[in-house]
Amino acid sequence: MSVDFVVYNLLPMSHVFFSPWVRGARRVLVPLVLLALWQILASTGRIEHRFYGSPIEVLISLRDLTETGDLAHHLAVSLGRAGFGLALGALAGLGLGAAAGLSRLGEDLLDPTLQAVRTLPLLGLIPLFILWFGLGDAPRLLLIALGTFFPFYINVFRGIRGIDAKLVELATSYRLGRFGLIREVILPGALAPALVGLRQSIGIAWLCLVVAEQVNANDGLGYIIIQANALAQTSVILTALVIYAVLGLGTDALVRLIERAALSWQNAFEGA
Amino acid sequence: MDALVSPTPALPPTALSLRAIRRGFGGREVLRGVDLALAPGEFVVLLGRSGCGKTTLLRIAGELDRGATGDVAVTRDQAIVFQDARLLPWRRVWRNVVIGLDGPRRALRARALAALAEVGLTERADAWPRTLSGGEAQRVALARALVREPALLLLDEPFAALDALTRLRMQRLVGRLWQRHGLAVLLVTHDIDEAVLLGDRVLLMEEGRIALDLPIELPHPRRREQAECVTLRARLLAELGIDQDGTEAGW
């Protein structure tokens, strides 16, 4: 007769030996290798650097753009547009999501129409928006607002409806009142999904921004790309894209930070 | 409802008075005319099998079920403890205790700490509810009810989900708190021991009616191995149709 038994370590290796520094190094390893590969291929002439650029060229054009002050200007314009559009979309999404989530009447009045609008191809609306709202910033802002509206609307609506009915009953039983119910139960309960909506919205805001700034704009990061394209400055296009990526990552990290602070009551599984 | 009843002279004040309560769910009648009155300070146990309508009755008393017919007179000064603790996961323990109460933060915290001290959980005041064990969560729920100093405490099988040892301690705790605060308690349970241990009166519910109203005039606190308790348990078991050795008429 054989006896099967298992010997296992109560503390997994990853927790014992890997400090945050090691984890950080692991996370940047693949991007660094890819960058190095790119530079080597460009330096050795394996790829045409006029079309593909190279990390060093990107750094040089980043320095040039910074020195002329162009980058700061265009970056500020783009951030302003993204922020304003996002604020509009978030406000509308929170408001209508709450209206539809809190009452059946609101759901019946709002949801079918909004779900129908949601199926429209967002970026296909640009020509119409320019036709309707002119050549200024209005169509761009409204496009960003519309794009960021839906993640908020859907997640807030779903968040409110996902709240445990037993907690709502508790609030009734302990006489919290309508305002108390919203403050103590609905808002905190819907916060996690709303923050998911925020993260999705920010991604969409950057996406809409790039596209909207490539049509009829004379400033912003998208304009830099269009201009560089006309002048065949690959490295400038790449630089603008890198900046977009950094902005996207940065804002995402910011929201994750907010999530950690605001949702500290959740002891969610964070991966082994 | 069915006939005019002349008001009884010198009606004793009640914490809860239910008359001719009927409640149906989808054609099935769960409560078929229940009368129930609780005097101030009285501990009444509503005992019955699952599905006999006892929780429905408690929910009507707690104003959580408006679909019943009959007369309900219940003090606004009441608090419920549910079978599940129902703590808000996003509020710390002490915040959960004083939920719905107004006042300056420091005063509220002091009240919460006092209530938590009564259930022996002062040191968990700043914990998140998710970190509590089932018994601790239920004690917080008890503190949340007591902090309001209610005249009527409604307990909906509050110990049913706890392990046997924790349940024993919780039963003693509820008995102590009831004696100290002098409030009326309506406890819904299917646990005969619990009923005998805690009740001034045990109401046996069967098929939507109160089949037996059994006063228990033993001093508190009681011990389950007391001779009187053993006799009462046997009697209630018999009423429920179960012999003491556990065999049952029917299935």
Side-chain angles (χ1 to χ4, degrees):
Chain A
M1 195 184 88
S2 73
V3 179
D4 287 336
F5 60 93
V6 180
V7 177
Y8 62 94
N9 217 329
L10 283 174
L11 287 171
M13 295 275 281
S14 59
H15 290 278
V16 178
F17 294 111
F18 295 113
S19 69
W21 290 105
V22 176
R23 283 210 66 200
R26 276 200 317 208
R27 290 163 74 94
V28 297
L29 186 64
V30 172
L32 284 180
V33 167
L34 289 176
L35 278 178
L37 199 64
W38 182 13
Q39 184 61 52
I40 290 166
L41 288 174
S43 303
T44 56
R46 297 292 176 88
I47 54 174
E48 182 58 68
H49 74 96
R50 271 188 302 156
F51 298 150
Y52 296 100
S54 76
I56 289 173
E57 282 183 22
V58 167
L59 284 176
I60 291 169
S61 70
L62 186 64
R63 193 197 59 197
D64 293 346
L65 282 168
T66 317
E67 277 176 354
T68 56
D70 280 2
L71 185 63
H73 168 66
H74 292 297
L75 192 59
V77 167
S78 284
L79 276 172
R81 282 176 186 146
F84 192 63
L86 181 68
L88 280 181
L91 224 60
L94 284 174
L96 296 189
L102 290 173
S103 84
R104 279 287 154 74
L105 177 70
E107 181 188 356
D108 291 346
L109 289 180
L110 295 171
D111 201 52
T113 314
L114 291 176
Q115 294 297 346
V117 174
R118 192 167 74 94
T119 59
L120 294 175
L122 188 63
L123 300 177
L125 294 173
I126 294 179
L128 262 187
F129 270 40
I130 290 174
L131 207 59
W132 291 344
F133 306 116
L135 292 172
D137 254 356
R140 281 187 277 274
L141 293 176
L142 288 171
L143 188 78
I144 296 169
L146 187 66
T148 55
F149 165 81
F150 288 108
F152 266 103
Y153 170 77
I154 289 167
N155 284 293
V156 169
F157 178 65
R158 193 177 53 96
I160 291 176
R161 288 299 167 90
I163 288 169
D164 191 350
K166 288 179 168 183
L167 293 182
V168 177
E169 190 179 76
L170 170 90
T172 316
S173 174
Y174 279 77
R175 308 194 200 289
L176 260 63
R178 184 114 182 120
F179 180 70
L181 173 71
I182 290 175
R183 194 191 56 203
E184 297 291 324
V185 181
I186 308 265
L187 280 183
L191 184 62
L195 285 174
V196 171
L198 177 62
R199 278 177 79 177
Q200 292 172 353
S201 288
I202 287 175
I204 290 178
W206 293 125
L207 179 74
C208 292
L209 188 71
V210 189
V211 179
E213 284 184 338
Q214 293 184 15
V215 182
N216 274 321
N218 42 29
D219 47 12
L221 287 172
Y223 171 72
I224 292 184
I225 291 177
I226 286 299
Q227 213 185 19
N229 192 29
L231 301 172
Q233 295 171 312
T234 309
S235 59
V236 176
I237 298 177
L238 288 168
T239 306
L241 290 177
V242 166
I243 294 169
Y244 270 126
V246 169
L247 285 176
L249 282 174
T251 44
D252 201 58
L254 190 71
V255 179
R256 280 215 303 265
L257 216 65
I258 297 172
E259 276 182 346
R260 268 177 181 261
L263 305 177
S264 51
W265 53 272
Q266 289 180 336
N267 46 3
F269 179 65
E270 285 184 342
Chain B
M1 307 245 36
D2 27 38
L4 276 174
V5 183
S6 59
T8 324
L11 203 70
T14 56
L16 167 67
S17 162
L18 301 173
R19 243 184 45 76
I21 301 296
R22 291 178 175 274
R23 178 67 163 115
F25 292 102
R28 200 174 81 88
E29 206 166 33
V30 175
L31 297 177
R32 308 172 178 197
V34 176
D35 298 300
L36 169 64
L38 254 77
E42 190 181 21
F43 199 128
V44 172
V45 180
L46 209 51
L47 179 68
R49 302 159 186 264
S50 50
C52 72
K54 56 191 193 298
T55 289
T56 307
L57 193 64
L58 180 127
R59 290 176 57 83
I60 292 167
E63 299 174 64
L64 292 174
D65 184 347
R66 306 288 178 125
T69 63
D71 299 327
V72 182
V74 60
T75 169
R76 297 277 292 173
D77 201 7
Q78 49 135 302
I80 304 190
V81 177
F82 297 94
Q83 185 174 344
D84 45 344
R86 300 199 189 181
L87 304 179
L88 300 177
W90 42 79
R91 293 280 182 261
R92 291 185 189 273
V93 162
W94 77 268
R95 276 279 180 200
N96 264 284
V97 171
V98 289
I99 185 176
L101 299 181
D102 296 320
R105 186 188 160 90
R106 293 185 63 164
L108 283 181
R109 188 174 161 87
R111 284 177 75 179
L113 287 176
L116 284 168
E118 285 208 276
V119 298
L121 278 177
T122 322
E123 78 282 6
R124 305 293 272 144
D126 292 310
W128 293 114
R130 290 212 174 181
T131 63
L132 302 178
S133 70
E136 286 174 333
Q138 205 55 292
R139 270 144 74 197
V140 174
L142 202 55
R144 179 179 60 193
L146 288 173
V147 78
R148 281 140 241 273
E149 290 167 14
L152 173 64
L153 182 62
L154 300 169
L155 303 174
D156 183 12
E157 304 200 40
F159 320 126
L162 304 178
D163 67 83
L165 288 175
T166 311
R167 186 156 60 229
L168 292 182
R169 300 184 62 179
M170 286 289 286
Q171 287 163 354
R172 278 210 296 272
L173 176 66
V174 165
R176 277 203 309 274
L177 292 172
W178 165 69
Q179 286 187 301
R180 191 181 309 158
H181 291 267
L183 35 69
V185 179
L186 180 62
L187 168 68
V188 160
T189 185
H190 56 250
D191 183 335
I192 295 179
D193 278 332
E194 198 167 292
V196 172
L197 215 54
L198 292 171
D200 286 329
R201 202 144 60 89
V202 175
L203 304 178
L204 193 65
M205 271 197 85
E206 259 172 9
E207 290 170 4
R209 287 197 188 84
I210 289 175
L212 177 72
D213 186 339
L214 181 69
I216 302 181
E217 280 153 10
L218 296 173
H220 294 270
R222 302 169 187 155
R223 288 173 304 113
R224 66 195 60 227
E225 55 289 344
Q226 246 173 283
E228 299 93 326
C229 288
V230 173
T231 317
L232 280 166
R233 186 195 307 126
R235 164 131 193 241
L236 285 168
L237 274 170
E239 290 287 344
L240 281 163
I242 303 172
D243 295 337
Q244 264 214 294
D245 56 11
T247 56
E248 187 178 357
W251 51 265

